[in-house]
Amino acid sequence: MPHADPKGVLTGVHFMDGDHAACEGAIAAGARFAAGYPITPSTEIVERFAARIPTVGGVFIQMEDELAASIAIAGAVWAGAKAFTVTSGPGFSLMMEHIGFAAMTETPCVFINVQRGGPSTGLPTLPAQADMMQARWGSHGDYEIIALCPNSPQECFDLAIRAFNLAEEFRVPVMFMMDEVVGHMTEKVVIPPAEQIQIYPRRHTRLPPGEYKPFEPGPDLVPDMVHAGEGYRFHVTGLTHDERGYPSMTVAAQDRLVKRLKAKITRAADRLACYETDGVEGADVVVVCYGITSRVALRAVHLARERGVKVGWLRLITVWPFPTKQLRALARQIKAFVVPELNLGQMVLEVERAAAGQAETISVPHAGGGVHDPEQILDAIMEVVR
Amino acid sequence: MQLTEIRIAGFGGQGVMLSAHIIGKAAAVYQGAYATMTQSFGPEARGGAASAQVILSDRPVLYPYVTRPDILIAMSQEAYHRFLPELKPNGLLLVESDLVRISDLPAGVRVHSIPATRLAEELGRRMVLNVVMVGFFGAITALLEPDALRKAVIDSVPPATRDLNVRAFEKGFEYGLSTLHGERKIETDHPPLPLESQH
């Protein structure tokens, strides 16, 4: 893979919050267009992008609303840019239609959601992780997305780059699921030199105009792209389309297209699975967590180990596609999963599905507005081993 | 460095956030330790009380919030009253002496005070009181190397105000040394505070 354009890489050691770090990750990844309708607690991301991008060469547009922002990025991508939008719960809800559009038209782009308490306007300045199912299922129809979940400012930088790379490789909208705490906490962020940052370039066709079909997939089920103004004829539509991109509203075309949109991600699920573990081997209980809750949970895990409990910790980094196979294998070796999250029980449903009855699955819900008290998670762990 | 929770509080405009940022940056960027800084957002952050939290440690910080600070830096009376109850027994309290009247102090709390605003005014700019306070913190606690703090000051302020801020830092640091009455040598040879580890 080629490396990042040094112009966009702020190499050095910084003390930076997660929002700013995510923005630097996006710029390092090659994003040169963002459209947004600023909303707490994500505002710092677009604020920084608007300040930084003129020095790098790119465009930020503050749009009239989130519908406009989320479709403007699709336009920018088809004109050749790497593009993203940034929002929080209320805006994310408004963007759902265009997440489906991006999935259907295989438009590589990144949606950053710095999650706050909901539903509706909820808790603008306080954390939650309650948009995790919305990220997967929020738009209508059958489709797949990829979702990543950072737990520190450093990871906001690192994973933002991966988000853009995966978007390009799979031609899929990638959901970057931060939370208010991770967005607003300030920690050390090391930004490496540009030559150490690998960038997945736009998949551009090598075929000449006339031979190129815009939605003819390669062996990995992903088609190559062209951009407006390059002399190729192409047509991008949210209607069910054939390999030429023309509407083709038949059972056969629907079957071929929608199954491919799903399969291009599910076939790569093993490669996409990404999680971090601590002490999972030989554990009786494994705490499954993500985002800020993973840090609070690790504290609880340490407390439980001090009491002699064999407890492991598994932090999801790629949340969607869910690593079902990996968790199912783990379920056979343990007694129970404990799943703390800043919602009333979302990813725990996936853990339960993966466990398939082989291990008990305990939810440790929190309605949001803060993080768990580690003691709450500890209590759940102790309850299981009692 | 053992895990140390610090709360810095005052009113809006005193530069509470920047002082927390400088302390965190000194630890994380210039001293190879870990630092996590969080701050209050929302209605409570406007006008009246401003509050920032920094956690310093030689291991990664897991829980991001300060619950029982080892050190409270109070730069307003309101901040003093609001946050004193959460200070650890035997904790350290640093106050802006012209703005905070000490009352109802729990036994065991160590107090050091500095007229940071007045010292900043002597330097010609009242707004550098927060950096005076950072210097004072550096001298009293000896948690961080003075040079790490100095670099973090230089790195965190607008270039045009660098000299002024470095002078503010030195002024607070000197004031801190002088209030310690020569006890500093002893304190740097031992952990300055009896802190419990979070881990």
Side-chain angles (χ1 to χ4, degrees), chain A residues 8-20:
Chain A
V9 182
L10 212 60
T11 303
V13 182
H14 306 268
F15 193 58
M16 193 182 265
D17 75 19
D19 279 358
H20 288 255

Side-chain angles (χ1 to χ4, degrees), chain A residues 8-290:
Chain A
V9 182
L10 212 60
T11 303
V13 182
H14 306 268
F15 193 58
M16 193 182 265
D17 75 19
D19 279 358
H20 288 255
C23 177
E24 287 304 328
I27 297 173
R32 294 294 179 267
F33 182 91
Y37 187 74
I39 180 170
T40 306
S42 72
T43 306
E44 290 88 338
I45 302 177
V46 285
E47 195 175 37
R48 187 179 183 101
F49 192 83
R52 283 263 288 134
I53 206 62
T55 68
V56 178
V59 173
F60 169 70
I61 306 179
Q62 179 164 334
M63 302 298 291
E64 67 268 34
D65 59 29
E66 285 88 347
L67 282 84
S70 56
I71 200 65
I73 64 171
V77 168
W78 285 98
K82 290 192 178 179
F84 70 113
T85 187
V86 176
T87 192
S88 187
F92 200 51
S93 291
L94 291 173
M95 291 179 177
M96 288 300 132
E97 165 63 10
H98 294 145
I99 289 172
F101 180 81
M104 185 62 148
T105 57
E106 300 179 75
T107 302
C109 54
V110 174
F111 289 75
I112 300 181
N113 177 358
V114 187
Q115 295 172 87
R116 66 190 220 185
S120 191
T121 29
L123 301 169
T125 63
L126 298 170
Q129 298 177 307
D131 308 346
M132 301 306 296
M133 284 290 172
Q134 186 187 24
R136 171 66 186 87
W137 302 105
S139 202
H140 56 278
D142 283 315
Y143 63 101
E144 290 278 338
I145 49 89
I146 295 169
L148 308 179
C149 218
N151 80 343
S152 68
Q154 179 68 55
E155 214 173 55
C156 286
F157 176 83
D158 297 338
L159 281 189
I161 294 169
R162 190 188 299 174
F164 279 90
N165 284 348
L166 291 173
E168 296 295 335
E169 181 179 356
F170 290 92
R171 282 190 58 184
V172 70
V174 174
M175 308 296 126
F176 197 64
M177 303 300 286
M178 296 167 58
D179 56 69
E180 186 276 337
V181 187
V182 165
H184 280 159
M185 70 161 53
T186 303
E187 292 186 333
K188 179 160 79 175
V189 175
V190 180
I191 299 184
E195 62 268 22
Q196 291 174 19
I197 299 174
Q198 295 195 317
I199 298 299
Y200 199 99
R202 179 67 37 94
R203 305 173 60 119
H204 197 282
T205 185
R206 298 209 174 101
L207 296 172
E211 288 176 38
Y212 170 71
K213 289 184 194 155
F215 292 92
E216 185 174 51
D220 60 355
L221 304 182
V222 183
D224 290 335
M225 282 185 83
V226 295
H227 299 135
E230 292 175 338
Y232 290 84
R233 281 171 183 252
F234 68 98
H235 186 252
V236 179
T237 176
L239 287 168
T240 297
H241 43 271
D242 61 19
E243 292 177 346
R244 298 168 305 162
Y246 294 143
S248 173
M249 282 158 285
T250 64
V251 172
Q254 171 77 358
D255 185 74
R256 199 161 56 239
L257 176 59
V258 177
K259 281 184 175 166
R260 179 175 65 77
L261 293 181
K262 194 166 171 62
K264 71 177 178 179
I265 303 297
T266 54
R267 263 188 15 177
D270 278 349
R271 192 157 61 81
L272 285 166
C274 182
Y275 49 85
E276 183 185 3
T277 60
D278 181 323
V280 165
E281 285 294 314
D284 292 327
V285 183
V286 171
V287 178
V288 179
C289 46
Y290 53 92

